[in-house]
Amino acid sequence: MSPDTMTEATFDRHLSDDWREQALLADVTAGLAAAPRRLTPRWLYDDRGSELYSEITRLPEYYLTEAERGVLHRAAGEIVELSGADTLIELGSGTSDKTTTLLDAFAAAGRLERFVPLDVSEQTLRDAAAVLAERYPGMHVHGVIGDFVEHLSVVPHEGVPLLAFLGSTIGNFYPDERAAFFRAVADWLPGDGHLLLGVDLVKPIDRIMAAYNDAAGVTAEFTLNVLAVLNRELDADFDLAGFEHVGMWDPNHTRVDLRLRSLGDQHVTIARAGMELDIAADEEIRAEISSKFTFEQLDGEFAAAGLEAARSWTSDGGDVALVMVRRA
């Protein structure tokens, strides 16, 4: 197909112009007034945070990205065959870097009709769509500009879908948030559709903790950067030097907690939120969690939402897994 006969990409926009500001204000107002204080992980990923996260994925201690990439390369053909899909949908697609492995497998099987990436960044979606349109002539890109928690219900039902949620992003959800997400998937998913879920598995604790307390301090800089986001966007006056990054293991919930610990008593003003905080020495703000799973735990959470695992693929060494999920 020549470039002049390629199908044009289309985009649905579900975010208002002030969505980011209003969502940030709501999260900060509720989270920093709570006990214990916490922030929503999505605010870690401004431009600088995204750069730092990209560095993290290349650290020798951080196993997750390359382990998932490896199992995806090995299993992509089987995933496409078993799914019966002709449409790939990716939640939190970003640049769709890893997704090209699946798209290549769809193309090789002759079933690549459409790709539906969903992300909050309109420009990132448009840039990725332009690259993918050139790489996969004849594939229609239907971008959805939205938040995968808030806007899953409006993702278009086109063809037979494979809904990809990779990177163990599900591990950043608290249990009640995961339950709500799985129920939303069950409500959205047609009978012939599947969810492809990337999960980080329970493993020796020292291996997990090394990934979140790297020797180079990149994860610490990444976590602290969220305070810079609040300073810039909400006219706050957090002193980044007054906090330290703490990565700790919670055995009761099999998860890592990434926290910011105050090095002394502090008074913080967040002008645009109309907040003033007195933060005590050693008080912690939870910035992110990263849950690790067993297959038994996942089966229980799927069942509670009316879902079931159809097939799973585990990386070499057993670090991560891809799980194909369908309605029960």
Side-chain angles (χ1 to χ4, degrees), residues 99-113:
T99 319
T100 56
T101 301
L102 283 171
L103 292 173
D104 286 345
F106 272 101
R111 294 215 310 273
L112 184 56
E113 293 193 16

Side-chain angles (χ1 to χ4, degrees), residues 69-83 98-106 109 111 162 196 313 322 324:
R69 193 187 306 275
V71 70
L72 197 57
H73 274 285
R74 174 164 50 85
E78 189 177 2
I79 289 169
V80 169
E81 180 181 357
L82 291 176
S83 73
K98 279 188 292 189
T99 319
T100 56
T101 301
L102 283 171
L103 292 173
D104 286 345
F106 272 101
R111 294 215 310 273
L162 176 63
L196 182 67
W313 298 264
L322 298 174
M324 186 178 288

